[in-house]
Amino acid sequence: MTPEQMKNVTAYFQGRFVPLAEANINVMTHAFNYGTGVFEGIRGYWNRDTREMYLFRLREHYERFLQNTGFLKMKLPYSAQDLCDISVELVRKNGFDENVYLRPLAYKTACQIGTKLSPGEDVTIFAVPMGDYVDTTRSLAACVSTWRRLEDNAIPARGKICGGYVNSALAATEARDNGYDEAIMLNEAGKVSEGAAMNMFMVRHGKLVTTPVYSNILEGITRSTVVEIAANELGIETEYRQIDRSELYIADEIFFCGTGAQIAGIGSVDRREVGDGDTGPITAKLQAIYSDVVQGRLSEYSKWLTPCSAPVAAAVVAAAH
Ligand code: PMP
């Protein structure tokens, strides 16, 4: 985003709503030097028919966010409800009429040399328009990365910790440099973990299989959404178990899922076709259902949607001015 565009976007920063161009931190900030922040990615889906923005599984994202701040011993003066309210207000202030992506970030603020976690943290949230993060209109070419997924006792992948995303950046960049769309990462045991910034499922014998929480994955909210809609809408159960690299080569279907990635079919792994190379039939059905769910077209899942047109608590708005 250019500095000029940033002037027209509002961010939440240091307890106030300010132009994104003014939401800046000092270069000595601990999080900038050592990656000591935790973050979230939340999507807002704009429904053109109802002219409503729906934030998807907002509460669950902030519950995970607050849990993860504990890894870095942060104590934030916000509840999950406060953060939900601020997010809704942020979307309203920006007046978006297209799909958006929200990035809440809790970061260590101390301006000091030294890695120790000293007191001092803050939360910022910004939102930017975002369409597809990966192309969901075609199947993706994936490779198995030469970079291994972070081990839990190095930097916990489930923590969504800023510094840990160097691991993702290395894998995603290597994949693109080598002509692939995305990377699949193995853990140190040589078993499939997840994508660089997304979880992964495969279909075998009509069943969904995904890697378990102990395979160094982020416990994805889209992953749990997929499990629920597959069971409810398609009657397909999910098996949680380790996946071997070689099993990727013989899977009937494979797909990535995540807030950014949504549901994205994988057409090949290491240049070996998955199924017939197109997005598989179960993946395609899940994509269609997911799209209906996030746009508010399936009322039984409205529990997951936060519409942004309703006014939020006056106290939150007042506190932010
Ligand atoms: N794994 C990693 C490493 C991620 O960064 C993400 C994106 N947040 C995911 C999985 C998917 O998680 P979610 O569905 O909660 O966005």
Side-chain angles (χ1 to χ4, degrees):
M1 195 177 264
T2 65
E4 206 47 44
Q5 288 168 323
M6 285 190 191
K7 284 186 191 153
N8 301 321
V9 176
T10 298
Y12 184 77
F13 181 65
Q14 295 180 341
R16 297 170 53 226
F17 292 106
V18 299
L20 182 57
E22 291 170 25
N24 302 314
I25 58 163
N26 188 283
V27 291
M28 270 193 83
T29 304
H30 201 271
F32 180 62
N33 285 259
Y34 302 114
T36 48
V38 302
F39 68 99
E40 270 303 322
I42 304 168
R43 268 191 186 266
Y45 288 90
W46 174 250
N47 182 316
R48 274 198 213 99
D49 301 329
T50 55
R51 298 197 60 74
E52 180 59 274
M53 180 77 80
Y54 296 112
L55 295 175
F56 188 60
R57 303 198 72 173
L58 185 62
R59 179 105 201 165
E60 291 91 328
H61 278 284
Y62 280 122
E63 279 166 2
R64 182 171 72 186
F65 181 67
L66 289 176
Q67 263 181 3
N68 288 346
T69 58
F71 286 116
L72 299 182
K73 305 181 98 177
M74 293 178 177
K75 288 201 168 45
L76 296 175
Y78 296 95
S79 66
Q81 189 57 48
D82 295 337
L83 295 167
C84 290
D85 290 346
I86 292 166
S87 301
V88 169
E89 184 60 13
L90 182 70
V91 169
R92 285 160 57 86
K93 281 193 180 303
N94 278 289
F96 295 117
D97 57 2
E98 58 188 311
N99 292 350
V100 293
Y101 184 84
L102 267 67
R103 166 56 50 80
L105 179 63
Y107 61 100
K108 297 297 291 180
T109 55
C111 286
Q112 66 172 40
I113 303 292
T115 52
K116 181 175 163 290
L117 296 168
S118 308
E121 44 262 347
D122 206 352
V123 171
T124 182
I125 311 173
F126 59 88
V128 289
M130 190 193 268
D132 268 0
Y133 175 78
V134 294
D135 195 346
T136 54
T137 61
R138 62 172 177 88
S139 63
L140 303 176
C143 62
V144 172
S145 182
T146 66
W147 294 97
R148 292 291 166 107
R149 190 78 184 114
L150 284 167
E151 283 298 302
D152 188 61
N153 52 12
I155 305 178
R158 68 162 51 76
K160 215 160 167 56
I161 295 168
C162 295
Y165 278 73
V166 172
N167 185 232
S168 302
L170 292 171
T173 306
E174 177 194 57
R176 283 167 186 74
D177 286 351
N178 291 338
Y180 297 96
D181 296 306
E182 282 296 335
I184 296 172
M185 303 188 74
L186 308 181
N187 57 24
E188 285 297 344
K191 304 296 177 188
V192 173
S193 176
E194 59 177 340
M198 50 205 81
N199 294 120
M200 199 209 79
F201 284 74
M202 71 178 180
V203 178
R204 285 205 71 190
H205 314 302
K207 261 191 167 180
L208 286 177
V209 184
T210 195
T211 50
V213 290
Y214 51 85
S215 287
N216 302 356
I217 65 165
L218 179 76
E219 296 178 18
I221 290 168
T222 320
R223 173 176 175 269
S224 78
T225 303
V226 166
V227 171
E228 197 167 328
I229 61 177
N232 292 352
E233 306 301 321
L234 303 177
I236 298 177
E237 294 305 314
T238 300
E239 196 181 334
Y240 300 90
R241 65 164 171 81
Q242 281 189 343
I243 297 176
D244 289 334
R245 176 181 189 159
S246 63
E247 217 178 349
L248 299 173
Y249 299 163
I250 59 166
D252 300 321
E253 300 180 34
I254 310 181
F255 61 88
F256 286 126
C257 73
T259 297
Q262 306 177 101
I263 296 176
I266 297 177
S268 66
V269 178
D270 297 338
R271 305 280 181 229
R272 291 159 176 87
E273 272 193 355
V274 176
D276 64 4
D278 283 334
T279 296
I282 293 177
T283 307
K285 279 184 198 157
L286 288 169
Q287 282 178 323
I289 299 163
Y290 187 75
S291 160
D292 283 344
V293 168
V294 298
Q295 297 271 341
R297 290 192 288 263
L298 289 176
S299 58
E300 55 274 41
Y301 299 102
S302 58
K303 60 179 180 182
W304 287 336
L305 305 180
T306 304
C308 292
S309 61
V312 297
V316 173
V317 183
H321 284 286

